């Protein structure tokens, strides 16, 4: 199936899209957005120097129509999600967003209702636009680099005035092998310091449920879940988190979930491999002591 990937030069995200393209057979072509070296090898490789969807629509739809791509792959990043809808409209193509799995017979899956249900689709004919949910497909290793052919950017409809980089300290949540998340049960923003301590000891990152973010204890960038970040760490601590389906939607690929909650009926225990029923104010210091003893 003739496939086009549209993404920035971010190797991890590109790698996920390459993995998906391989399920559909043919080596993909790519349009890389913005600057940066393009890693990996592709059929044809193009570059659009802009990353603003509103300025790219006409160039991309011209290319897709001219080259008769049947499958257009984007990621669920702000750029990919913003581009996918207008692109599908201009191509008159269907779109499936936030794809989470593709089976060997090419049945495409996406989750619905905060991951309470799964919908399955079969592609009869292209073109089809897919946005691939981050962290659901193992990123392919991209060997070498590929030179790109510059495509003309369409009429400038929007101008980017300023980009303000999100303040980040430590490992980004999406890349952390250990994530320590606090929920409303943590009780205050100051109490998150104890979670930061364990995260620091385990070289991990601190996340938050929407409950904790809504309370103003952690910034929105730390939220994990359906409307937050998707993480796939080896170890995920959920501390004072009830385990609402919208939260679990962000950790479905976490390998080992350890829950600490004082309510033994909390839903998070259904997802956890290990659980501690009790007050985190007792359990977490005990955990820190055990880690220090075994350091
Ligand atoms: C459209 C939509 C999208 C959403 N997206 C997200 C999302 O992306 N991420 C997300 O997280 N939520 C999301 N939510 C909200 C979600 O439904 C829950 O309301 C939220 O996850 C609850 O946060 P919480 O578990 O921290 O708080 P609560 O539900 O209030 O749970 C707190 C938990 O802490 C425990 N606890 C209390 N004190 C202690 C203590 N001392 N020691 C140990 N345990 C204690 C309690 O037993 C309880 O289980 C979304 C909701 C909607 C409708």
């Amino acid at each position: 199936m003739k496939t086009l990937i549209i993404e920035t030069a971010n190797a991890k995200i590109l790698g996920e899209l390459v993995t998906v393209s391989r399920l559909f057979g043919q080596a993909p072509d790519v349009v890389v957005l913005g600057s940066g070296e393009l890693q990996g090898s592709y059929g044809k490789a193009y570059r659009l120097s802009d990353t603003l969807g509103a300025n790219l629509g006409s160039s991309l739809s011209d290319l897709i129509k001219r080259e008769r791509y049947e499958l257009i792959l984007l990621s669920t990043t702000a750029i990919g999600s913003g581009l996918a809808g207008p692109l599908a409209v201009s191509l008159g193509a269907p779109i499936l967003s936030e794809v989470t799995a593709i089976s060997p017979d090419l049945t495409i899956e996406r989750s619905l209702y905060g991951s309470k249900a799964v919908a399955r689709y079969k592609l009869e004919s292209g073109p089809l636009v897919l946005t691939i949910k981050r962290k659901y497909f193992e990123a392919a290793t991209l060997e070498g680099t590929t030179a790109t052919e510059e495509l003309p950017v369409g009429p400038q409809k929007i101008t980017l005035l300023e980009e303000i980089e999100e303040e980040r300290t430590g490992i980004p949540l999406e890349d952390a092998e250990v994530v320590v998340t606090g929920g409303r049960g943590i009780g205050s923003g100051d109490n998150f310091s104890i979670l930061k301590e364990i995260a620091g000891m385990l070289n991990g990152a601190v996340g938050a449920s929407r409950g904790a973010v809504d309370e103003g204890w952690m910034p929105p960038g730390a939220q994990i879940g359906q409307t937050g970040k998707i993480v796939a760490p080896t170890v995920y601590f959920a501390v004072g988190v009830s385990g609402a389906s919208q939260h679990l939607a962000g950790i479905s690929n976490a390998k080992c979930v350890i829950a600490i909650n004082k309510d033994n009926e909390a839903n998070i225990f259904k997802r956890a491999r290990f659980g501690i029923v009790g007050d985190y104010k007792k359990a977490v210091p005990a955990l820190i002591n055990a880690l220090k003893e075994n350091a």
Side-chain angles (χ1 to χ4, degrees):
M1 187 165 247
K2 195 165 179 189
T3 303
L4 180 69
I5 288 174
I6 305 172
E7 218 346 283
T8 62
N10 182 314
K12 280 199 180 132
I13 307 177
L14 268 176
E16 291 175 6
L17 297 177
V18 167
T19 298
V20 173
S21 73
R22 285 178 183 162
L23 300 170
F24 290 90
Q26 211 171 315
D29 291 354
V30 64
V31 176
V32 63
L33 305 176
S35 57
E37 207 167 37
L38 174 61
Q39 293 181 43
S41 57
Y42 305 88
K44 289 183 188 161
Y46 306 93
R47 182 180 299 274
L48 276 165
S49 52
D50 206 331
T51 55
L52 292 174
N55 300 337
L56 302 178
S58 60
S59 302
L60 286 170
S61 57
D62 288 350
L63 175 75
I64 292 163
K65 285 177 191 160
R66 190 177 73 233
E67 295 287 330
R68 298 177 186 277
Y69 289 108
E70 295 164 283
L71 188 65
I72 296 99
L73 296 179
L74 303 105
S75 188
T76 51
T77 56
I79 293 175
S81 302
L83 203 51
L87 198 56
V89 170
S90 72
L91 295 170
I95 178 169
L96 288 176
S97 58
E98 305 203 343
V99 169
T100 52
I102 297 170
S103 55
D105 70 349
L106 301 184
T107 302
I108 299 166
E109 283 186 12
R110 58 191 294 266
S111 52
L112 300 175
Y113 311 118
S115 297
K116 287 190 178 125
V118 171
R120 294 196 175 88
Y121 305 86
K122 193 86 186 157
L123 170 60
E124 302 294 349
S125 66
L128 172 70
V129 177
L130 293 187
T131 67
I132 305 300
K133 201 159 182 178
R134 290 239 40 220
K135 302 275 177 183
Y136 277 77
F137 294 85
E138 188 92 18
T141 308
L142 303 178
E143 309 277 0
T145 56
T146 303
T148 53
E149 177 191 326
E150 198 77 30
L151 289 175
V153 176
Q156 200 80 11
K157 293 183 181 157
I158 291 182
T159 309
L160 181 65
L161 295 181
E162 189 186 7
E163 259 182 316
I164 302 167
E165 211 167 314
E166 192 184 336
E167 260 184 56
R168 278 187 166 177
T169 46
I171 306 165
L173 268 173
E174 300 93 323
D175 299 334
E177 284 300 320
V178 176
V179 173
V180 184
T181 287
R184 198 178 270 124
I186 295 302
S188 76
D190 288 344
N191 290 350
F192 267 79
S193 58
I194 198 167
L195 304 189
K196 289 176 187 160
E197 191 178 342
I198 331 181
M201 293 172 85
L202 298 172
N203 205 18
V206 178
S209 69
R210 178 150 145 193
V213 170
D214 284 350
E215 297 288 351
W217 301 337
M218 286 291 279
Q223 185 178 313
I224 289 167
Q226 185 189 331
T227 45
K229 293 199 166 123
I230 308 285
V231 294
T234 308
V235 181
Y236 185 82
F237 288 91
V239 186
V241 173
S242 57
S245 62
Q246 296 90 352
H247 185 80
L248 299 184
I251 61 166
S252 53
N253 286 337
K255 291 195 180 70
C256 176
V257 175
I258 301 169
I260 302 175
N261 197 302
K262 66 181 187 183
D263 174 6
N264 67 352
E265 291 192 352
N267 197 47
I268 192 71
F269 288 122
K270 292 188 186 145
R271 176 64 181 79
R273 188 180 299 175
F274 301 105
I276 299 172
V277 179
D279 190 334
Y280 84 90
K281 287 182 181 158
K282 288 187 185 150
V284 173
L287 197 61
I288 288 173
N289 285 338
L291 286 170
K292 280 182 184 158
E293 277 167 23
N294 290 299

mmCIF file of all heavy atoms in Angstrom, residues 2-23:
data_model
loop_
_atom_site.group_PDB
_atom_site.id
_atom_site.type_symbol
_atom_site.label_atom_id
_atom_site.label_comp_id
_atom_site.label_asym_id
_atom_site.label_seq_id
_atom_site.Cartn_x
_atom_site.Cartn_y
_atom_site.Cartn_z
ATOM 1 N N LYS A 2 0.654 2.172 -0.914
ATOM 2 C CA LYS A 2 1.548 3.336 -1.037
ATOM 3 C C LYS A 2 1.312 4.315 0.132
ATOM 4 O O LYS A 2 0.223 4.874 0.271
ATOM 5 C CB LYS A 2 1.309 4.018 -2.389
ATOM 6 C CG LYS A 2 2.430 4.969 -2.717
ATOM 7 C CD LYS A 2 2.444 5.402 -4.153
ATOM 8 C CE LYS A 2 3.596 6.387 -4.356
ATOM 9 N NZ LYS A 2 3.609 7.026 -5.618
ATOM 10 N N THR A 3 2.353 4.457 0.943
ATOM 11 C CA THR A 3 2.185 5.145 2.226
ATOM 12 C C THR A 3 3.049 6.393 2.324
ATOM 13 O O THR A 3 4.204 6.395 1.913
ATOM 14 C CB THR A 3 2.584 4.176 3.375
ATOM 15 O OG1 THR A 3 1.781 3.014 3.272
ATOM 16 C CG2 THR A 3 2.372 4.807 4.739
ATOM 17 N N LEU A 4 2.472 7.444 2.899
ATOM 18 C CA LEU A 4 3.211 8.686 3.151
ATOM 19 C C LEU A 4 3.149 8.988 4.643
ATOM 20 O O LEU A 4 2.069 9.053 5.234
ATOM 21 C CB LEU A 4 2.588 9.847 2.374
ATOM 22 C CG LEU A 4 3.296 11.198 2.580
ATOM 23 C CD1 LEU A 4 4.681 11.188 1.940
ATOM 24 C CD2 LEU A 4 2.461 12.343 2.007
ATOM 25 N N ILE A 5 4.340 9.189 5.232
ATOM 26 C CA ILE A 5 4.424 9.622 6.629
ATOM 27 C C ILE A 5 4.620 11.132 6.634
ATOM 28 O O ILE A 5 5.414 11.660 5.845
ATOM 29 C CB ILE A 5 5.630 8.937 7.310
ATOM 30 C CG1 ILE A 5 5.342 7.447 7.527
ATOM 31 C CG2 ILE A 5 5.998 9.621 8.612
ATOM 32 C CD1 ILE A 5 6.522 6.649 8.050
ATOM 33 N N ILE A 6 3.903 11.831 7.511
ATOM 34 C CA ILE A 6 4.107 13.288 7.658
ATOM 35 C C ILE A 6 4.454 13.550 9.117
ATOM 36 O O ILE A 6 3.651 13.274 10.015
ATOM 37 C CB ILE A 6 2.829 14.067 7.261
ATOM 38 C CG1 ILE A 6 2.390 13.685 5.850
ATOM 39 C CG2 ILE A 6 3.077 15.579 7.357
ATOM 40 C CD1 ILE A 6 1.033 14.248 5.444
ATOM 41 N N GLU A 7 5.672 14.044 9.365
ATOM 42 C CA GLU A 7 6.095 14.259 10.763
ATOM 43 C C GLU A 7 7.284 15.200 10.788
ATOM 44 O O GLU A 7 7.868 15.496 9.767
ATOM 45 C CB GLU A 7 6.501 12.901 11.364
ATOM 46 C CG GLU A 7 6.172 12.591 12.796
ATOM 47 C CD GLU A 7 5.743 13.699 13.713
ATOM 48 O OE1 GLU A 7 6.579 14.487 14.173
ATOM 49 O OE2 GLU A 7 4.555 13.776 14.018
ATOM 50 N N THR A 8 7.608 15.683 11.985
ATOM 51 C CA THR A 8 8.836 16.452 12.154
ATOM 52 C C THR A 8 10.014 15.464 12.168
ATOM 53 O O THR A 8 9.802 14.254 12.087
ATOM 54 C CB THR A 8 8.829 17.229 13.483
ATOM 55 O OG1 THR A 8 8.757 16.263 14.541
ATOM 56 C CG2 THR A 8 7.647 18.187 13.585
ATOM 57 N N ALA A 9 11.228 15.991 12.358
ATOM 58 C CA ALA A 9 12.410 15.105 12.337
ATOM 59 C C ALA A 9 12.612 14.362 13.662
ATOM 60 O O ALA A 9 13.657 13.750 13.864
ATOM 61 C CB ALA A 9 13.647 15.929 11.996
ATOM 62 N N ASN A 10 11.637 14.384 14.547
ATOM 63 C CA ASN A 10 11.745 13.679 15.839
ATOM 64 C C ASN A 10 11.835 12.157 15.589
ATOM 65 O O ASN A 10 10.887 11.518 15.133
ATOM 66 C CB ASN A 10 10.498 14.013 16.672
ATOM 67 C CG ASN A 10 10.541 13.365 18.025
ATOM 68 O OD1 ASN A 10 10.847 12.185 18.163
ATOM 69 N ND2 ASN A 10 10.228 14.145 19.049
ATOM 70 N N ALA A 11 13.013 11.589 15.902
ATOM 71 C CA ALA A 11 13.282 10.196 15.518
ATOM 72 C C ALA A 11 12.364 9.197 16.224
ATOM 73 O O ALA A 11 11.980 8.185 15.646
ATOM 74 C CB ALA A 11 14.737 9.855 15.803
ATOM 75 N N LYS A 12 11.989 9.492 17.479
ATOM 76 C CA LYS A 12 11.135 8.530 18.206
ATOM 77 C C LYS A 12 9.757 8.456 17.564
ATOM 78 O O LYS A 12 9.203 7.393 17.350
ATOM 79 C CB LYS A 12 10.988 8.960 19.661
ATOM 80 C CG LYS A 12 12.197 8.571 20.464
ATOM 81 C CD LYS A 12 11.899 8.568 21.934
ATOM 82 C CE LYS A 12 13.168 8.176 22.673
ATOM 83 N NZ LYS A 12 13.496 9.038 23.770
ATOM 84 N N ILE A 13 9.202 9.644 17.248
ATOM 85 C CA ILE A 13 7.845 9.653 16.671
ATOM 86 C C ILE A 13 7.883 9.075 15.256
ATOM 87 O O ILE A 13 7.037 8.256 14.882
ATOM 88 C CB ILE A 13 7.258 11.082 16.667
ATOM 89 C CG1 ILE A 13 7.327 11.689 18.068
ATOM 90 C CG2 ILE A 13 5.825 11.071 16.156
ATOM 91 C CD1 ILE A 13 6.833 13.117 18.162
ATOM 92 N N LEU A 14 8.905 9.473 14.497
ATOM 93 C CA LEU A 14 9.045 8.916 13.140
ATOM 94 C C LEU A 14 9.157 7.398 13.205
ATOM 95 O O LEU A 14 8.554 6.684 12.408
ATOM 96 C CB LEU A 14 10.315 9.464 12.497
ATOM 97 C CG LEU A 14 10.197 10.716 11.658
ATOM 98 C CD1 LEU A 14 11.581 11.149 11.188
ATOM 99 C CD2 LEU A 14 9.298 10.495 10.453
ATOM 100 N N GLY A 15 9.941 6.911 14.199
ATOM 101 C CA GLY A 15 10.145 5.467 14.342
ATOM 102 C C GLY A 15 8.823 4.736 14.571
ATOM 103 O O GLY A 15 8.586 3.667 14.018
ATOM 104 N N GLU A 16 7.938 5.328 15.357
ATOM 105 C CA GLU A 16 6.624 4.697 15.591
ATOM 106 C C GLU A 16 5.836 4.629 14.276
ATOM 107 O O GLU A 16 5.194 3.624 13.964
ATOM 108 C CB GLU A 16 5.828 5.493 16.636
ATOM 109 C CG GLU A 16 6.421 5.394 18.036
ATOM 110 C CD GLU A 16 5.722 6.281 19.067
ATOM 111 O OE1 GLU A 16 4.693 6.902 18.744
ATOM 112 O OE2 GLU A 16 6.223 6.358 20.212
ATOM 113 N N LEU A 17 5.906 5.708 13.490
ATOM 114 C CA LEU A 17 5.147 5.736 12.236
ATOM 115 C C LEU A 17 5.744 4.759 11.212
ATOM 116 O O LEU A 17 5.015 4.128 10.446
ATOM 117 C CB LEU A 17 5.106 7.163 11.674
ATOM 118 C CG LEU A 17 4.384 8.182 12.571
ATOM 119 C CD1 LEU A 17 4.457 9.577 11.967
ATOM 120 C CD2 LEU A 17 2.927 7.796 12.784
ATOM 121 N N VAL A 18 7.071 4.610 11.242
ATOM 122 C CA VAL A 18 7.718 3.644 10.339
ATOM 123 C C VAL A 18 7.260 2.230 10.706
ATOM 124 O O VAL A 18 6.936 1.413 9.838
ATOM 125 C CB VAL A 18 9.255 3.785 10.395
ATOM 126 C CG1 VAL A 18 9.941 2.605 9.727
ATOM 127 C CG2 VAL A 18 9.694 5.097 9.749
ATOM 128 N N THR A 19 7.182 1.934 12.004
ATOM 129 C CA THR A 19 6.690 0.621 12.443
ATOM 130 C C THR A 19 5.295 0.356 11.873
ATOM 131 O O THR A 19 5.016 -0.720 11.343
ATOM 132 C CB THR A 19 6.638 0.560 13.987
ATOM 133 O OG1 THR A 19 7.954 0.732 14.467
ATOM 134 C CG2 THR A 19 6.073 -0.743 14.500
ATOM 135 N N VAL A 20 4.436 1.349 11.962
ATOM 136 C CA VAL A 20 3.062 1.176 11.447
ATOM 137 C C VAL A 20 3.100 0.979 9.936
ATOM 138 O O VAL A 20 2.431 0.091 9.398
ATOM 139 C CB VAL A 20 2.184 2.399 11.824
ATOM 140 C CG1 VAL A 20 0.825 2.309 11.145
ATOM 141 C CG2 VAL A 20 2.013 2.473 13.333
ATOM 142 N N SER A 21 3.916 1.772 9.244
ATOM 143 C CA SER A 21 3.941 1.680 7.770
ATOM 144 C C SER A 21 4.377 0.287 7.327
ATOM 145 O O SER A 21 3.889 -0.234 6.330
ATOM 146 C CB SER A 21 4.854 2.756 7.182
ATOM 147 O OG SER A 21 6.203 2.416 7.422
ATOM 148 N N ARG A 22 5.291 -0.332 8.110
ATOM 149 C CA ARG A 22 5.781 -1.670 7.728
ATOM 150 C C ARG A 22 4.663 -2.717 7.764
ATOM 151 O O ARG A 22 4.689 -3.690 7.034
ATOM 152 C CB ARG A 22 6.922 -2.092 8.651
ATOM 153 C CG ARG A 22 8.200 -1.342 8.306
ATOM 154 C CD ARG A 22 9.331 -1.715 9.234
ATOM 155 N NE ARG A 22 10.518 -0.938 8.924
ATOM 156 C CZ ARG A 22 11.546 -0.777 9.738
ATOM 157 N NH1 ARG A 22 11.546 -1.352 10.923
ATOM 158 N NH2 ARG A 22 12.580 -0.053 9.377
ATOM 159 N N LEU A 23 3.661 -2.492 8.631
ATOM 160 C CA LEU A 23 2.537 -3.433 8.682
ATOM 161 C C LEU A 23 1.772 -3.431 7.356
ATOM 162 O O LEU A 23 1.151 -4.407 6.987
ATOM 163 C CB LEU A 23 1.573 -3.047 9.819
ATOM 164 C CG LEU A 23 2.169 -3.029 11.228
ATOM 165 C CD1 LEU A 23 1.193 -2.412 12.224
ATOM 166 C CD2 LEU A 23 2.512 -4.453 11.649
#
